[in-house]
Amino acid sequence: MDKYEKIMNLAKRRGFIYPSFEIYGGAAGLYSYGPLGTLLKENVKNLWRYFYVLNEGFIEIDTPTLTPFEVLKASGHVDEFTDLKAFCKKCKKSYKAEDVKRGDKLVCPSCGGEIKETSQMNLMFSTILGEDRKAFLRPETAQGIFTDFHLLYRFVREKMPFGVAQIGKGYRNEISPRQGVIRLREFSMAEVEVFYDPKNMNMDPSNLKGELPLVVDGEVKKMDLKEAVEKGIIEHPALAYHILLAYKFMVACGIDDEKIRVRKHRKDELAHYAKECWDIESYSERFGWVECVGIADRSAYDLTAHTKASGVDLCASRRGEGRIKKKIVAKLNVLGPIFKELTGRIKEELEKMEPPAEKKEITLDVDGKKIVIPEDGYEIVEEKESVERFIPHVIEPSFGIDRIIYFILEHSYVETEKRGEKYNLLRLPAYIAPIKAGVFPLVNDDRLCKIAKEIEREMRLEGLQVFYDDTGSIGRRYARMDEIGTPFCITVDFTTLEDDTVTVRYRDTTEQERIKRKDVPSFIKNQISESLKNIFND
Amino acid sequence: MDKYEKIMNLAKRRGFIYPSFEIYGGAAGLYSYGPLGTLLKENVKNLWRYFYVLNEGFIEIDTPTLTPFEVLKASGHVDEFTDLKAFCKKCKKSYKAEDVKRGDKLVCPSCGGEIKETSQMNLMFSTILGEDRKAFLRPETAQGIFTDFHLLYRFVREKMPFGVAQIGKGYRNEISPRQGVIRLREFSMAEVEVFYDPKNMNMDPSNLKGELPLVVDGEVKKMDLKEAVEKGIIEHPALAYHILLAYKFMVACGIDDEKIRVRKHRKDELAHYAKECWDIESYSERFGWVECVGIADRSAYDLTAHTKASGVDLCASRRGEGRIKKKIVAKLNVLGPIFKELTGRIKEELEKMEPPAEKKEITLDVDGKKIVIPEDGYEIVEEKESVERFIPHVIEPSFGIDRIIYFILEHSYVETEKRGEKYNLLRLPAYIAPIKAGVFPLVNDDRLCKIAKEIEREMRLEGLQVFYDDTGSIGRRYARMDEIGTPFCITVDFTTLEDDTVTVRYRDTTEQERIKRKDVPSFIKNQISESLKNIFND
């Protein structure tokens, strides 16, 4: 049994992850989160919000997964979001060409024959809104952010840069997915679009402190971030900053930092919208290096595309740098006598025009009438433009939540022995662990059970997810909690009846200490909140 | 401008709710949550989890929205999840028949003519998984729970009753939706399936304390819950309990309890799976009474349907009541001499059989051989069956999160005056409010700004969403926070420089008090957590 199989067995047995619709034979690329998996996932999302929404101060929005055709036509997905499909005529089976490449041939994994028939397949799920409006399930959350740019820019009071986050489902109709939870057709993603003024993408240098395991010339090398920017390995500081932040997030999730690398996309790997892209990859024993986060420089690609397609101006403005702009000013003392009551309308239309390069007669169309303005009927004046309009550039960190959850499980999984028997645990950070504490009566005595149940209830009312258990030996109960990564266990024993103390037992050290019963909820809450705050206090 | 328009204007201007894809002309039935709306929605979801997952101890799962055809065929949705469509031949427009009923005619709202052409339209969005597997976007989260029943039952260690919650997107391809956020094609729902042993649906009577505004004979009447059960108005205690709990949740959200009523479905309104159903409706000035929660008795409908269609037994077991079961026991001393080395296999096959009503020769097929067992080759013995298998019954509270959010806004919206000018606020409960506190320097002084920004940061690291603001008069800043329902404002002033205190100002009373600067985060956190705990301490 390899590691993946072990993790997936554990995941199914203990309620983290289930293959979906198994009673109907399952559905490739679809997985469900069981009770513990759902808690874990919620914790990962909230940690992500802690990084991006609370700490970075980005705003978060929530837009539909159903997306009209026009949006994804404009964004390029209708034409470009495709994979090469290899179809074996003999077996009548389709494969993603990439998956069946052997050297420069495509080989059918089923019959071993060479596959020659290939075609591009669009990866979006399509459907119909109402009776006839073509739509897709979104392939990324990003387009919902871009199409609302004008509203969001107003929300942040037109300050740049600003970031907009979104967590939600994304869909990708993979050609016969065969990599379990690593390749899903419906997945959870967490994305940020950070909008920058391209003329001002600098970063406070104190934000670039840290090292990253960069892949340089095919080898992983710890490199100082500033050096990476100075050497031009990473394009610019804003991109570098977001790679660092995403890396820190991965480590904070409990993913082994020795099994993370940061790799730049080759030109032929780049998505159609990306100018430069870095992947944060994590190492799995079965699948090797797997992308978990992509940090892309999307430049002005999307906002430009939507401005063009929709006709709505998705621009921001900056204070101008004194650029000179020419404009027309009507001379009313000349025009008035000629045009009488029409003069007002003529002035209005005239001043809207771009000034000609040189002064000359101008012909205007005013309310259907042709009007000729004499050369002396207007002036061309020069004005300093105080505001410049521009299309913002975008840096996008995009996280695959399901893959991250898989890696949290694989990397926190520890096999050990206890009294000659196999003993497994998950070393999850306390803020990620689905269950924060086990609450046990030492033995099945009514008085102890009653107190333990009261503690369970108090903790739940304080928002802590805990698990009450009074079955089996205390060692067996610790083992059940260790196996699912519960960081603390609270035990009520006969001493509790005397002095109102309980024991806290720590998962990783198995050490125990006694604390006052009434302090239990705040003690556990503080432990969790301190470890969270420590992420940013290094 | 009616109330709905006022609320939707506020919602768009302040970033709660946006019509989706407006730059492409919008898309009927699709709305987006802006930055404040997303925070509000997250708070509503978490309050719901506080009720159902933490307090009730139900488990929560998360299953795909993409659902294979077979699942929804078995559940009855392929055949029954339809609306009657009215099609006007003259205008070429479709309507939901219900919406254009005038007396017993269907009248086209566009041309005023009578519509005669109607047809049933299935309301599910359909798509294709891979290249040819028919699938739908789920119309409810419930089916993901039912199809995993066997796994979830094992997770809770086979104890009954137990509840399984799910929060996520549901989809419904409404026929030309025209009621804004009230009728969505993509919506967020929160559902619980509570599985009961139908022979034991009783409730601790202390759980039925409380009154509900029931619609009885067309009038709303406050009725004691126990009375409602005793009089047979509500079918049974478990259903009554879940109506009460859902009602309490609505009130805890900040929805006006004077604008809530609880109404039983008429027979002709019942969904195909429901035996009895109660709606919790809320009153809107534009739309009248609107369903926000449905609490349905789905009986054994779904688990029976999936057991039948999938062939997988979705049963639970209870300790039997001593029912007698007959079985065959082989008599080896008779069979051995006849069948020699085959005896073992024969015994095995023989004992698997249902015993005949009377003793007689039995003909068996063993590994392709026909074997005749003489009448004296076996006995029929009677055994007490210790375990009975049964298909659980389901009570389902199902919440429409988007409608609830709309009603939170409509009911918490207060118009008042301040110094002769219009002044609006949202009276949101602190745990529901998107922004917990405004943090202000009294004036734009570097020293005050620095401290206010430090407080902002400390609060964010404690998980509190706050808003720093140093623009405009302090009154203007209070007004901005009141308008979006922020319960507290913290102001740093010159006294802060002397004694390290700040003022806390309360939204609803506009009263102020001074507290120690270092206590700010814990002060606000405690206020919120106390108001939460009070929900269950009445």
Coordinates of all heavy atoms in Angstrom, one line a residue, chain A residues 22-92:
Chain A
E22 N -20.8 6.8 -4.7 CA -20.3 5.5 -4.8 C -21.4 4.4 -5.0 O -21.2 3.4 -5.7 CB -19.5 5.1 -3.5 CG -18.1 4.8 -3.8 CD -17.4 4.3 -2.6 OE1 -18.0 4.4 -1.5 OE2 -16.3 3.7 -2.7
I23 N -22.6 4.7 -4.4 CA -23.6 3.7 -4.5 C -24.1 3.6 -5.9 O -24.8 2.6 -6.3 CB -24.8 3.9 -3.5 CG1 -25.6 5.2 -3.8 CG2 -24.3 3.9 -2.1 CD1 -26.9 5.3 -3.0
Y24 N -23.8 4.6 -6.7 CA -24.2 4.5 -8.2 C -22.9 4.2 -9.0 O -22.8 4.7 -10.2 CB -24.9 5.7 -8.6 CG -26.3 5.8 -8.0 CD1 -26.6 6.6 -6.9 CD2 -27.3 5.1 -8.6 CE1 -27.9 6.7 -6.4 CE2 -28.6 5.1 -8.1 CZ -28.9 5.9 -7.0 OH -30.1 5.9 -6.5
G25 N -21.9 3.6 -8.4 CA -20.7 3.3 -9.1 C -19.7 4.4 -9.2 O -18.7 4.3 -9.8
G26 N -20.0 5.5 -8.5 CA -19.0 6.6 -8.4 C -19.1 7.5 -9.7 O -19.8 7.2 -10.6
A27 N -18.3 8.6 -9.6 CA -18.2 9.5 -10.7 C -16.8 10.1 -10.8 O -16.4 10.7 -9.8 CB -19.2 10.7 -10.6
A28 N -16.1 9.8 -11.8 CA -14.7 10.2 -11.9 C -14.5 11.7 -11.7 O -15.3 12.5 -12.2 CB -14.1 9.8 -13.3
G29 N -13.6 12.1 -10.9 CA -13.3 13.5 -10.7 C -14.2 14.2 -9.6 O -14.1 15.4 -9.5
L30 N -15.0 13.4 -9.0 CA -15.9 14.0 -8.0 C -15.7 13.3 -6.6 O -15.7 12.1 -6.5 CB -17.4 13.9 -8.3 CG -17.9 14.6 -9.6 CD1 -19.4 14.4 -9.8 CD2 -17.5 16.1 -9.6
Y31 N -15.3 14.2 -5.6 CA -15.1 13.7 -4.2 C -16.0 14.5 -3.3 O -16.3 15.6 -3.6 CB -13.7 13.7 -3.9 CG -12.9 12.5 -4.4 CD1 -12.4 12.5 -5.7 CD2 -12.6 11.4 -3.6 CE1 -11.7 11.5 -6.2 CE2 -11.9 10.4 -4.1 CZ -11.5 10.4 -5.4 OH -10.8 9.3 -5.9
S32 N -16.3 13.9 -2.1 CA -17.1 14.6 -1.1 C -16.2 14.7 0.1 O -15.4 13.9 0.4 CB -18.3 13.8 -0.8 OG -19.1 13.6 -1.9
Y33 N -16.5 15.8 0.9 CA -15.9 15.9 2.2 C -16.8 15.3 3.3 O -18.0 15.7 3.3 CB -15.5 17.3 2.5 CG -14.4 17.8 1.7 CD1 -14.6 18.3 0.4 CD2 -13.1 17.6 2.1 CE1 -13.5 18.7 -0.4 CE2 -12.0 18.0 1.3 CZ -12.2 18.5 0.1 OH -11.1 18.9 -0.7
G34 N -16.3 14.4 4.0 CA -17.0 13.9 5.2 C -17.0 14.9 6.3 O -16.5 16.0 6.2
P35 N -17.6 14.5 7.5 CA -17.7 15.4 8.6 C -16.3 16.0 9.0 O -16.2 17.2 9.2 CB -18.2 14.5 9.7 CG -19.0 13.4 9.0 CD -18.2 13.2 7.8
L36 N -15.3 15.2 9.1 CA -14.0 15.8 9.5 C -13.4 16.6 8.4 O -12.7 17.6 8.6 CB -13.0 14.7 10.0 CG -13.5 13.9 11.3 CD1 -12.4 12.9 11.7 CD2 -13.8 14.9 12.4
G37 N -13.5 16.1 7.2 CA -13.0 16.8 6.0 C -13.6 18.2 5.9 O -12.9 19.2 5.5
T38 N -14.9 18.3 6.2 CA -15.6 19.6 6.0 C -15.1 20.5 7.1 O -14.9 21.7 6.8 CB -17.1 19.3 6.2 OG1 -17.5 18.4 5.1 CG2 -17.9 20.7 6.0
L39 N -14.9 20.1 8.3 CA -14.3 20.9 9.3 C -12.9 21.4 8.9 O -12.6 22.6 9.0 CB -14.3 20.2 10.7 CG -15.6 19.9 11.3 CD1 -15.5 18.9 12.5 CD2 -16.3 21.2 11.8
L40 N -12.1 20.4 8.4 CA -10.7 20.7 8.0 C -10.7 21.8 6.9 O -10.0 22.8 7.0 CB -10.1 19.5 7.6 CG -8.7 19.5 7.0 CD1 -7.7 20.1 8.0 CD2 -8.2 18.1 6.5
K41 N -11.6 21.6 5.9 CA -11.7 22.5 4.8 C -12.1 23.9 5.3 O -11.5 24.9 4.8 CB -12.7 21.9 3.8 CG -12.8 22.6 2.5 CD -13.8 21.9 1.6 CE -14.0 22.5 0.3 NZ -15.1 21.8 -0.4
E42 N -13.1 24.0 6.1 CA -13.5 25.2 6.6 C -12.3 25.9 7.4 O -12.1 27.2 7.2 CB -14.7 25.0 7.6 CG -15.9 25.9 7.5 CD -16.2 26.5 6.1 OE1 -16.4 25.7 5.1 OE2 -16.3 27.7 6.1
N43 N -11.5 25.2 8.1 CA -10.4 25.8 8.8 C -9.3 26.3 7.8 O -8.7 27.3 8.1 CB -9.8 24.7 9.8 CG -10.7 24.4 10.9 OD1 -11.6 25.1 11.2 ND2 -10.4 23.3 11.5
V44 N -9.1 25.5 6.7 CA -8.2 26.0 5.7 C -8.7 27.3 5.1 O -7.9 28.2 4.9 CB -7.9 24.9 4.7 CG1 -7.1 25.4 3.5 CG2 -7.2 23.7 5.3
K45 N -9.9 27.3 4.7 CA -10.5 28.6 4.2 C -10.3 29.7 5.1 O -10.0 30.8 4.7 CB -12.0 28.4 3.9 CG -12.3 27.5 2.7 CD -13.9 27.6 2.5 CE -14.4 26.5 1.6 NZ -15.8 26.5 1.6
N46 N -10.6 29.5 6.4 CA -10.5 30.6 7.4 C -9.1 31.0 7.6 O -8.9 32.2 7.8 CB -11.2 30.2 8.7 CG -12.7 30.2 8.5 OD1 -13.3 31.0 7.7 ND2 -13.5 29.4 9.3
L47 N -8.2 30.1 7.5 CA -6.7 30.5 7.6 C -6.4 31.3 6.4 O -5.7 32.3 6.6 CB -5.8 29.2 7.7 CG -4.4 29.5 7.8 CD1 -4.0 30.2 9.1 CD2 -3.5 28.3 7.6
W48 N -6.9 30.9 5.3 CA -6.6 31.7 4.1 C -7.2 33.1 4.2 O -6.6 34.1 3.9 CB -7.3 31.0 2.9 CG -6.8 31.5 1.6 CD1 -5.7 31.2 0.9 CD2 -7.5 32.5 0.8 NE1 -5.7 31.8 -0.3 CE2 -6.8 32.6 -0.4 CE3 -8.7 33.2 0.9 CZ2 -7.2 33.5 -1.4 CZ3 -9.1 34.0 -0.1 CH2 -8.3 34.2 -1.2
R49 N -8.4 33.2 4.8 CA -9.0 34.5 5.0 C -8.2 35.3 6.0 O -8.0 36.5 5.9 CB -10.4 34.4 5.5 CG -11.4 33.9 4.5 CD -12.8 34.1 5.0 NE -13.7 33.8 3.9 CZ -14.5 32.7 3.8 NH1 -14.5 31.8 4.8 NH2 -15.3 32.5 2.8
Y50 N -7.6 34.6 7.0 CA -6.8 35.2 8.0 C -5.6 35.9 7.3 O -5.2 37.0 7.6 CB -6.3 34.2 9.0 CG -5.7 34.8 10.3 CD1 -6.4 35.5 11.2 CD2 -4.3 34.6 10.5 CE1 -5.9 36.0 12.3 CE2 -3.7 35.1 11.6 CZ -4.5 35.8 12.6 OH -3.9 36.3 13.7
F51 N -5.0 35.2 6.3 CA -3.9 35.8 5.6 C -4.3 36.9 4.7 O -3.7 38.0 4.7 CB -3.3 34.7 4.7 CG -2.1 33.9 5.3 CD1 -2.3 33.0 6.4 CD2 -0.8 34.1 4.8 CE1 -1.3 32.3 6.9 CE2 0.2 33.4 5.4 CZ 0.0 32.5 6.5
Y52 N -5.3 36.7 3.9 CA -5.6 37.6 2.8 C -6.6 38.7 3.1 O -6.5 39.8 2.7 CB -6.0 36.8 1.5 CG -4.7 36.1 0.9 CD1 -4.4 34.8 1.3 CD2 -3.9 36.8 0.1 CE1 -3.3 34.2 0.8 CE2 -2.7 36.2 -0.4 CZ -2.5 34.9 0.0 OH -1.3 34.3 -0.5
V53 N -7.6 38.3 3.9 CA -8.7 39.3 4.1 C -8.4 40.1 5.4 O -8.4 41.3 5.4 CB -10.1 38.6 4.2 CG1 -11.2 39.6 4.4 CG2 -10.3 37.8 2.9
L54 N -8.1 39.4 6.5 CA -7.8 40.1 7.7 C -6.4 40.7 7.7 O -6.3 41.9 7.9 CB -7.9 39.1 8.9 CG -9.4 38.9 9.3 CD1 -9.5 37.7 10.2 CD2 -10.0 40.1 9.9
N55 N -5.4 40.0 7.4 CA -4.1 40.5 7.5 C -3.7 41.4 6.3 O -3.1 42.5 6.6 CB -3.1 39.3 7.6 CG -1.8 39.8 8.2 OD1 -1.7 40.5 9.3 ND2 -0.7 39.4 7.6
E56 N -3.9 41.0 5.1 CA -3.6 41.9 4.0 C -4.7 43.0 3.8 O -4.4 44.0 3.1 CB -3.5 41.1 2.7 CG -2.4 40.2 2.6 CD -1.0 40.9 2.4 OE1 -0.9 41.8 1.6 OE2 -0.1 40.6 3.2
G57 N -5.8 42.8 4.4 CA -6.9 43.8 4.2 C -7.6 43.8 2.9 O -8.2 44.8 2.5
F58 N -7.5 42.7 2.2 CA -8.2 42.6 0.9 C -9.7 42.4 1.1 O -10.1 41.9 2.2 CB -7.6 41.4 0.1 CG -6.2 41.6 -0.4 CD1 -5.4 40.5 -0.8 CD2 -5.6 42.8 -0.4 CE1 -4.1 40.6 -1.2 CE2 -4.3 43.0 -0.8 CZ -3.5 41.9 -1.2
I59 N -10.5 42.8 0.1 CA -11.9 42.6 0.2 C -12.2 41.2 -0.4 O -11.5 40.7 -1.2 CB -12.7 43.7 -0.4 CG1 -12.3 43.9 -1.9 CG2 -12.5 45.0 0.4 CD1 -13.1 45.0 -2.6
E60 N -13.3 40.6 0.0 CA -13.7 39.3 -0.5 C -15.1 39.4 -1.1 O -16.0 40.1 -0.5 CB -13.8 38.3 0.6 CG -14.1 36.9 0.1 CD -14.2 35.9 1.3 OE1 -13.7 36.1 2.4 OE2 -14.8 34.8 1.0
I61 N -15.3 38.8 -2.3 CA -16.7 38.8 -2.9 C -17.1 37.4 -3.2 O -16.3 36.5 -3.1 CB -16.8 39.8 -4.1 CG1 -16.0 39.2 -5.3 CG2 -16.4 41.2 -3.8 CD1 -16.3 39.9 -6.6
D62 N -18.3 37.3 -3.7 CA -18.8 35.9 -3.9 C -19.8 36.0 -5.1 O -20.9 36.6 -5.0 CB -19.6 35.5 -2.6 CG -20.1 34.1 -2.7 OD1 -19.7 33.4 -3.6 OD2 -21.0 33.8 -1.9
T63 N -19.3 35.5 -6.3 CA -20.1 35.7 -7.5 C -20.5 34.3 -8.0 O -20.0 33.3 -7.6 CB -19.2 36.4 -8.6 OG1 -18.2 35.6 -9.0 CG2 -18.6 37.7 -8.0
P64 N -21.5 34.3 -8.9 CA -22.1 33.0 -9.3 C -21.1 32.1 -10.1 O -20.2 32.6 -10.7 CB -23.2 33.5 -10.3 CG -23.5 34.9 -10.0 CD -22.2 35.5 -9.5
T65 N -21.4 30.8 -10.0 CA -20.6 29.9 -10.7 C -21.2 29.8 -12.2 O -20.4 29.5 -13.1 CB -20.7 28.5 -10.1 OG1 -22.1 28.1 -10.0 CG2 -20.1 28.5 -8.7
L66 N -22.5 30.0 -12.3 CA -23.1 30.0 -13.7 C -22.6 31.3 -14.3 O -22.8 32.4 -13.8 CB -24.6 30.0 -13.6 CG -25.3 28.7 -13.2 CD1 -26.7 28.9 -12.8 CD2 -25.1 27.7 -14.3
T67 N -22.0 31.2 -15.5 CA -21.4 32.4 -16.1 C -21.9 32.5 -17.6 O -21.7 31.5 -18.3 CB -19.9 32.3 -16.1 OG1 -19.5 32.0 -14.7 CG2 -19.2 33.6 -16.5
P68 N -22.5 33.6 -18.0 CA -22.9 33.7 -19.4 C -21.8 33.6 -20.4 O -20.6 33.9 -20.1 CB -23.5 35.1 -19.5 CG -23.8 35.5 -18.1 CD -22.8 34.8 -17.2
F69 N -22.1 33.0 -21.5 CA -21.2 32.8 -22.6 C -20.3 34.0 -22.9 O -19.1 33.9 -23.1 CB -22.0 32.4 -23.9 CG -21.2 32.3 -25.1 CD1 -20.6 31.0 -25.4 CD2 -21.0 33.3 -26.0 CE1 -19.8 30.9 -26.5 CE2 -20.2 33.2 -27.2 CZ -19.6 31.9 -27.4
E70 N -20.9 35.2 -23.0 CA -20.2 36.4 -23.4 C -19.0 36.7 -22.6 O -17.9 37.1 -23.0 CB -21.1 37.7 -23.3 CG -22.4 37.6 -24.1 CD -23.5 37.1 -23.2 OE1 -23.5 35.8 -23.0 OE2 -24.3 37.9 -22.7
V71 N -19.1 36.4 -21.3 CA -18.0 36.7 -20.3 C -16.8 35.8 -20.6 O -15.7 36.3 -20.7 CB -18.5 36.4 -18.9 CG1 -17.4 36.6 -17.9 CG2 -19.7 37.3 -18.5
L72 N -17.1 34.5 -20.9 CA -16.0 33.6 -21.1 C -15.5 33.6 -22.5 O -14.4 33.1 -22.8 CB -16.3 32.2 -20.6 CG -16.5 32.2 -19.0 CD1 -17.4 31.1 -18.6 CD2 -15.2 32.2 -18.3
K73 N -16.3 34.1 -23.4 CA -15.8 34.4 -24.8 C -14.8 35.5 -24.7 O -13.7 35.4 -25.2 CB -17.0 34.8 -25.7 CG -16.6 35.1 -27.1 CD -16.1 33.9 -27.8 CE -15.6 34.3 -29.2 NZ -15.0 33.2 -30.0
A74 N -15.2 36.6 -24.0 CA -14.3 37.8 -23.9 C -13.0 37.4 -23.2 O -11.9 37.9 -23.6 CB -15.0 38.9 -23.2
S75 N -13.1 36.6 -22.2 CA -11.9 36.3 -21.4 C -10.9 35.3 -22.1 O -9.8 35.1 -21.6 CB -12.3 35.7 -20.0 OG -12.8 34.3 -20.3
G76 N -11.4 34.8 -23.2 CA -10.5 33.9 -24.0 C -10.7 32.4 -23.6 O -10.2 31.5 -24.3
H77 N -11.6 32.1 -22.6 CA -11.7 30.7 -22.2 C -12.5 29.9 -23.3 O -12.2 28.7 -23.4 CB -12.4 30.6 -20.9 CG -11.6 31.0 -19.7 ND1 -11.3 32.3 -19.4 CD2 -10.8 30.3 -18.9 CE1 -10.5 32.3 -18.4 NE2 -10.1 31.1 -18.1
V78 N -13.4 30.5 -24.0 CA -14.1 29.7 -25.0 C -13.2 29.2 -26.1 O -13.3 28.0 -26.5 CB -15.3 30.5 -25.6 CG1 -15.9 29.9 -26.9 CG2 -16.4 30.9 -24.6
D79 N -12.2 30.0 -26.4 CA -11.3 29.6 -27.4 C -10.0 28.9 -27.0 O -9.4 28.1 -27.7 CB -10.9 30.8 -28.3 CG -12.1 31.5 -28.9 OD1 -13.0 30.7 -29.5 OD2 -12.3 32.7 -28.8
E80 N -9.6 29.2 -25.7 CA -8.3 28.8 -25.3 C -8.2 27.8 -24.2 O -7.2 27.2 -23.9 CB -7.4 30.0 -24.8 CG -7.4 31.2 -25.8 CD -6.3 31.0 -26.8 OE1 -5.5 30.1 -26.7 OE2 -6.2 31.9 -27.7
F81 N -9.4 27.6 -23.4 CA -9.3 26.7 -22.3 C -9.6 25.3 -22.7 O -10.6 24.7 -22.5 CB -10.4 27.2 -21.3 CG -10.3 26.6 -19.9 CD1 -9.2 26.8 -19.1 CD2 -11.3 25.8 -19.4 CE1 -9.1 26.3 -17.8 CE2 -11.2 25.2 -18.1 CZ -10.1 25.5 -17.4
T82 N -8.5 24.7 -23.3 CA -8.7 23.4 -23.9 C -7.5 22.5 -23.5 O -6.5 23.0 -23.1 CB -8.7 23.5 -25.4 OG1 -7.5 24.2 -25.8 CG2 -9.8 24.3 -26.0
D83 N -7.8 21.2 -23.6 CA -6.7 20.2 -23.5 C -6.7 19.4 -24.8 O -7.7 19.2 -25.5 CB -6.9 19.3 -22.3 CG -6.3 19.8 -21.1 OD1 -5.4 20.7 -21.1 OD2 -6.6 19.2 -20.0
L84 N -5.5 18.8 -25.1 CA -5.4 18.0 -26.3 C -5.9 16.6 -25.9 O -5.5 16.0 -24.9 CB -4.0 17.9 -26.8 CG -3.8 17.2 -28.1 CD1 -4.5 18.0 -29.2 CD2 -2.3 17.1 -28.5
K85 N -6.9 16.1 -26.6 CA -7.5 14.8 -26.3 C -6.9 13.8 -27.3 O -6.8 14.0 -28.5 CB -9.0 14.9 -26.5 CG -9.8 13.7 -26.2 CD -11.3 13.9 -26.3 CE -11.7 13.6 -27.8 NZ -13.2 13.8 -28.0
A86 N -6.6 12.6 -26.7 CA -6.1 11.5 -27.6 C -7.2 10.4 -27.6 O -7.7 10.0 -26.5 CB -4.8 10.9 -27.0
F87 N -7.6 10.0 -28.7 CA -8.7 9.1 -28.8 C -8.3 7.8 -29.5 O -7.8 7.7 -30.6 CB -9.9 9.7 -29.7 CG -11.1 8.7 -29.8 CD1 -11.9 8.5 -28.7 CD2 -11.3 8.1 -31.0 CE1 -13.0 7.6 -28.9 CE2 -12.4 7.2 -31.2 CZ -13.2 7.0 -30.1
C88 N -8.4 6.6 -28.7 CA -8.0 5.4 -29.3 C -9.1 4.7 -30.0 O -10.1 4.4 -29.4 CB -7.5 4.4 -28.1 SG -7.0 2.8 -28.7
K89 N -8.9 4.6 -31.3 CA -10.0 4.1 -32.2 C -10.4 2.6 -31.8 O -11.5 2.2 -31.9 CB -9.6 4.1 -33.6 CG -9.8 5.4 -34.3 CD -9.6 5.3 -35.8 CE -9.7 6.7 -36.5 NZ -9.2 6.6 -37.9
K90 N -9.4 1.9 -31.4 CA -9.6 0.5 -31.1 C -10.4 0.3 -29.8 O -11.4 -0.4 -29.8 CB -8.2 -0.2 -30.9 CG -8.2 -1.7 -31.3 CD -6.8 -2.2 -31.4 CE -6.7 -3.6 -30.7 NZ -5.3 -3.9 -30.4
C91 N -10.0 1.0 -28.7 CA -10.6 0.9 -27.4 C -11.8 1.8 -27.3 O -12.5 1.7 -26.3 CB -9.7 1.1 -26.3 SG -8.2 0.1 -26.4
K92 N -12.0 2.8 -28.2 CA -13.0 3.8 -28.1 C -12.9 4.6 -26.7 O -13.9 4.9 -26.1 CB -14.4 3.1 -28.1 CG -14.7 2.2 -29.3 CD -15.0 2.9 -30.5 CE -15.2 2.0 -31.7 NZ -14.6 2.5 -32.9

